[in-house]
Amino acid sequence: MSSLGILVGYFLPITANMSTIFAVLLVFVGCCSNVVFLETLVRSFPGCGNIVTFAQFAFIALEGFIFETNFGRKKPAIPMSNYVIMVTMFFTVSVINNYALNFNIAMPLHMIFRSGSLIANMILGIIILKKRYSMSKYLSVAMVSLGIFICTIMSAKQVNVGTKGSDDQGVYAFLHWLIGIAMLTFALLMSARMGIFQETLYKQYGKHSKEALFYNHCLPLPGFLLLSSDIYNHCVLFSQSTPVEVPVIGQAVPVLWLYLLLNVITQYVCIRGVFILTTECASLTVTLVVTLRKFISLIISILFFKNPFTAWHWVGTGVVFLGTLIYTEVWTSICTALRGSEKLKKKKA
């Protein structure tokens, strides 16, 4: 067997498991296409984050109400009081992440910034859980931090250069952008805190991922009443978009409503794929698949939408993903697999 074959067999020993292959396909197809539809919506109306978030939450909550809770007849395994805490954090993170796109945050920077979850997880893990990590972990987080810093600085320069008009307008655009960066930073830390909270809950009550998925999307729905005027305004704007003929129903539908529907469906496909993957294979494989998915999504965003991306952006991106792979100890696994390949060759010889 070749070294490549052994590596593939090491990282995806589940190739005989069709459900895992299916999950990987769901992750790549669902998540990557979701980015395309989201960016299409954001380019039409940069402030549409609230209506997108609401549609995603409503769809996943409806699906969970039918198939997970059996129309509300199934009682939760985890106490509702804990879900209220988790849901508050999840709702805040989801709304802020989408709303940050309204502050001159380009989609590639948005994706790169959210890849910095390793930093937030490590910082809060040290502070809250009193964890200690190996030097390779600290190195990887330093690399991710450096990569995000490079991309952020380069994007800041583009905000300044790309702003036309007076100096006051340039300063305003830059401050507007800084607010978006602050929102992404807060959401990153809040997401890491939520992950730690989930970890402690699962240790105490066992893993109930589908149940958590339902309650995380169902309980926050009343919170969207606070955003109802913004959601209604975008409903009107979406309805005024160019109509397109939909062959299945034989009627013309405003194109932005169609994009929103496709965004919601692909988001669900993406989440379901990740859920299946976490139940079928090791966390290393999950992290590797998700990391590769993020990289492909980034490439699609740059090429398909022609987003400005300098050589320094590529350097920063490479450092982020290299740091992520070091954190997951992929290199150690590769070396182990290659050593196994050499031993097999020597035995055959």
Side-chain angles (χ1 to χ4, degrees), residues 51 231-241 257:
I51 189 173
I231 293 172
Y232 174 77
N233 291 335
H234 280 89
C235 284
V236 174
L237 293 172
F238 278 28
S239 298
Q240 294 171 350
S241 61
W257 281 116

Side-chain angles (χ1 to χ4, degrees), residues 60-80:
I60 294 174
L62 178 62
E63 187 274 342
F65 180 73
I66 297 171
F67 297 104
E68 171 59 22
T69 68
N70 192 18
F71 296 94
R73 288 193 286 266
K74 180 182 175 183
K75 292 183 178 180
I78 297 175
M80 195 61 67

Side-chain angles (χ1 to χ4, degrees), residues 20 34 65 74 123 237 249 268 280 286 304:
T20 305
N34 179 259
F65 180 73
K74 180 182 175 183
I123 292 173
L237 293 172
I249 61 176
Y268 174 74
E280 293 291 336
V286 176
F304 189 78

Side-chain angles (χ1 to χ4, degrees), residues 40 72 106 115 119 128 131 140 158 161 166 181-182 187 196 198 213 219 228 248 259 264-265 278 294 299 324 326:
T40 302
S115 297
I119 309 168
I128 298 173
K131 286 185 176 181
S140 66
Q158 288 178 346
V161 172
S166 65
I181 293 296
I196 291 174
Q198 283 179 317
L213 184 67
L219 295 181
S228 57
V248 179
Y259 286 146
V264 169
I265 293 173
T278 55
K294 287 180 179 178
I299 299 299
T324 303
I326 291 176

Side-chain angles (χ1 to χ4, degrees), residues 1-12 333-338:
M1 184 183 292
S2 66
S3 298
L4 178 61
I6 289 183
L7 286 177
V8 173
Y10 186 88
F11 286 111
L12 293 176
S333 303
I334 289 176
C335 292
T336 302
L338 289 175

Side-chain angles (χ1 to χ4, degrees), residues 34-64:
N34 179 259
V35 169
V36 173
F37 294 123
L38 176 60
E39 186 156 2
T40 302
L41 290 167
V42 169
R43 280 174 172 261
S44 300
F45 294 104
C48 70
N50 289 332
I51 189 173
V52 172
T53 308
F54 172 71
Q56 292 174 350
F57 273 53
F59 182 86
I60 294 174
L62 178 62
E63 187 274 342

Side-chain angles (χ1 to χ4, degrees), residues 171-186:
V171 171
Y172 173 78
F174 182 69
L175 291 175
H176 199 62
W177 177 83
L178 280 180
I179 293 173
I181 293 296
M183 292 172 71
L184 288 178
T185 304
F186 176 80

